[in-house]
Amino acid sequence: MSTDVSAAPSTERPLLSNNPTTEEHRRIVVVLAALMLGMFLAALDQTIVATALPTIAGDLHGLNHLAWIVTAYLLTSTISTPLWGKLGDLYGRKNLFQLAIVIFLIGSMLSGLSQNMIELILFRAVQGVGAGGLMVGSQAIIGDVVPARQRGKYMGYFGVVFGLTSVAGPLAGGLFTQHLSWRWIFYINVPIGIVALFAIAAVLHLPTVRVPHKIDWTGTALLSAGVTAVILMTTWGGTQYRWSSAPVIGLAVAGGALLVGFCIVETKVAEPIIPLDLFRNRTFSSASGVGFITGLVMFGAIIYLQLYLQTVHGATPTASGLEVLPVVGGMMVTFIISGRVITRTGRYKIFPVLGSAVLTGGLLLLSRLGPHTTLWAGSVYMFVIGLGVGLIMQVLVVAVQNAVPYSRLGVATSTASFSRSIGGAFGVSALGAVFDGRLLRELSHHAAKFPLSLLKGGSIAANPAQINRLPTAERAVYVNAFSHGLQEVFLVAVPFTVLAFVLSLVMKEIPLRTTSERSTPDGGERRVPDADTAAAGLID
């Protein structure tokens, strides 16, 4: 089923020139600040609830639904990503970005006002829908504003924001929960979002060319249902249900069937939500695969580093948030360096190649973490992981956007973001299964000769604070078991980064465009030379 989108004339304005003047650069920085506020909101809410979850569950009396506070947000943000990208191509990205901010703010306010767990889960899902539009829109709009050759320099700033929120989220959540109320982790979004909304309205002016289009609602429904089944499978498998249980197997079969159906539909509709022919583009398909693995490693590393610091070294949630700052420091260094080098040279392939190699080395270093590892050594290991992520993540966005026609910029950007989000979801759940399995094996072995008070019914009824209060001998058993489990997690991730290295090697490097491209009224492409784009600015 498809829906027609009527054509409507509009006025085009020139894009930023390939050799921006000081005035143009100053104007683009204003737009970047507004876009980064949007990305900041969406990325922050992926992690800010982590340290507040126990308090929320206690206040709302819903411990058995705790995981859904995170899962609901992850589900809706992931499955809405391709639709936001397509709608942005059809209706204009500025309006869609503003709509995403409004939806996100409504979800945030309602989440803060929630009186029970069901309400909070539903409103977190609303937040997630808006977050999907913020993540895609902020990156795709850069493709509208800045030529590919200049884009690397600016995309690096987005990577810094994403890296900061990955660490600042749990830290901010702990501070708000401890000193104000857990509701403020949602309320704080409102003033930030309002500033971003008015800034976008005032300073961003994008060319909007409306042409007849059709929206692939059938494909959207199949993709949403299929991804939902897969994420539920990876969320429940090995935790709430055994991997061999009927619910998990049923979800796997249903998810596979729905995704196969999605692929069939996408080959038949006039304008698919994710054009499968994009994957025939070697640059696009390689970058999507590397993005999936980067999401897997980045989210997995940050989550399990927090667990290591809190359980093995006894750090508080606030302190552990500070202690993983070397990851962000590494990201910031290579985000900025890679962006500037790409702008100067126009070459980008070397960065994911180097980045995946550095990530592999970083994971091998993290696999050495143990009870006696010093904070200094651990910080060096974390810094290496940050360097690797920074060499890859935002460079892939530049590569994908440069590899596709301008008319597909939104859908290509959203698909790349979708790959990274799915990688993160898969990584957290799959690595979690590895960790749980090793941990329970270790503890079960010791339980035969040592009474373990927190091991009940084949599971651990404990949090880091409880483990840290145990008698010295019993705590040592838990700490060693956690260390071995975490070491296995990092080792299991190594083959994935090796695969990312191979994919990076086969990625075809396409020279970065030094002109901007826009859709013409007939749906084609028109190249705009630098002399033309320099005549007037996109931004007021």
Side-chain angles (χ1 to χ4, degrees), residues 39-58:
M39 173 174 272
F40 176 84
L41 288 171
L44 185 69
D45 271 63
Q46 290 179 336
T47 58
I48 196 172
V49 299
T51 49
L53 286 176
T55 303
I56 294 173

Side-chain angles (χ1 to χ4, degrees), residues 348-358 391-392 500-501 504-505:
Y348 58 84
K349 178 177 176 177
I350 186 62
F351 294 105
V353 173
L354 289 176
S356 53
V358 171
L391 285 167
I392 298 173
F501 179 77
S504 300
L505 286 176

